[in-house]
Amino acid sequence: MSAKSDYIEMKLPAKPEYVGVVRLTVSGIANRLGYSYDDIEDIKIAIAEACTNVVSHAYQDSTDDDAVMMVGCGVYDNRMELMVADKGNSFDLNSLKRNLGPVSADQPVEELKEGGLGLFLIETLMDKVEINGDSGVIIVMTKFLQRDGVEHNGDGISTTTTHQ
């Protein structure tokens, strides 16, 4: 079992221009932890989808300029947990999942259902996803760190000499 080492939290306006800020911040944290390029891209897509859902759906009927999204990032030795929360409109997760179907490569894009595609992407790209919609929506996404098996040398310079 690993101990939590750091927790980073951001509170931002639920506006489209801040989705990129969250995306880049989380990308920087994932890079510092040693995630692969592909894993960082998956994490960036998942966090952007979660934030876009807040911007597009959570405060849809509200004229409140104080609409905010909270983003948290728990950093562990073997994983990163991302949390996106809002206090806006909830939705019926079970109903949404029932209406989601498998996406087929043969299906024309025009026939894909619009709602829930972001959630489908998040579940596909992350290792674990938990959603709570009791008061607003809280989505917790976990990505485990897959070490590449290659030990990284601190300065990248070998200190051993070869004799010929």
Side-chain angles (χ1 to χ4, degrees):
M1 184 167 195
S2 61
K4 184 190 252 185
S5 60
D6 288 316
Y7 185 77
I8 299 110
E9 190 173 50
M10 297 180 282
K11 183 176 179 182
L12 304 117
K15 296 180 178 177
E17 54 266 33
Y18 293 102
V19 173
V21 172
V22 173
R23 194 170 178 258
L24 289 175
T25 302
V26 169
S27 171
I29 295 167
N31 185 47
R32 189 188 70 74
L33 294 174
Y35 281 91
S36 70
Y37 175 81
D38 289 339
D39 282 346
I40 291 172
E41 291 302 309
D42 290 350
I43 292 167
K44 286 166 57 179
I45 291 169
I47 195 75
E49 285 296 329
C51 291
T52 299
N53 282 341
V54 173
V55 170
S56 300
H57 304 295
Y59 301 102
Q60 208 169 27
D61 300 327
S62 174
T63 56
D64 189 4
D65 286 336
D66 295 329
V68 294
M69 59 182 160
M70 283 72 67
V71 178
C73 182
V75 177
Y76 297 82
D77 290 340
N78 64 347
R79 69 187 184 280
M80 183 164 65
E81 290 182 353
L82 300 167
M83 182 270 308
V84 177
D86 65 70
K87 298 273 186 204
N89 300 324
S90 293
F91 60 93
D92 183 359
L93 178 62
N94 292 327
S95 173
L96 180 65
K97 283 189 168 185
R98 274 192 305 273
N99 291 329
L100 285 177
V103 177
S104 167
D106 301 331
Q107 189 175 11
V109 174
E110 301 82 31
E111 295 178 12
L112 291 175
K113 295 176 184 172
E114 186 176 327
L117 195 54
L119 184 59
F120 173 79
L121 273 175
I122 291 169
E123 288 184 332
T124 301
L125 298 173
M126 300 299 282
D127 295 324
K128 182 179 173 188
V129 178
E130 300 170 63
I131 300 173
N132 183 323
D134 292 339
S135 174
V137 176
I138 300 172
I139 181 167
V140 179
M141 304 168 284
T142 303
K143 188 73 166 179
F144 290 97
L145 185 57
Q146 307 295 321
R147 302 280 182 197
D148 56 10
V150 177
E151 189 170 322
H152 296 281
N153 190 346
D155 59 6
I157 300 171
S158 174
T159 55
T160 60
T161 57
T162 56
H163 299 282
Q164 296 180 4

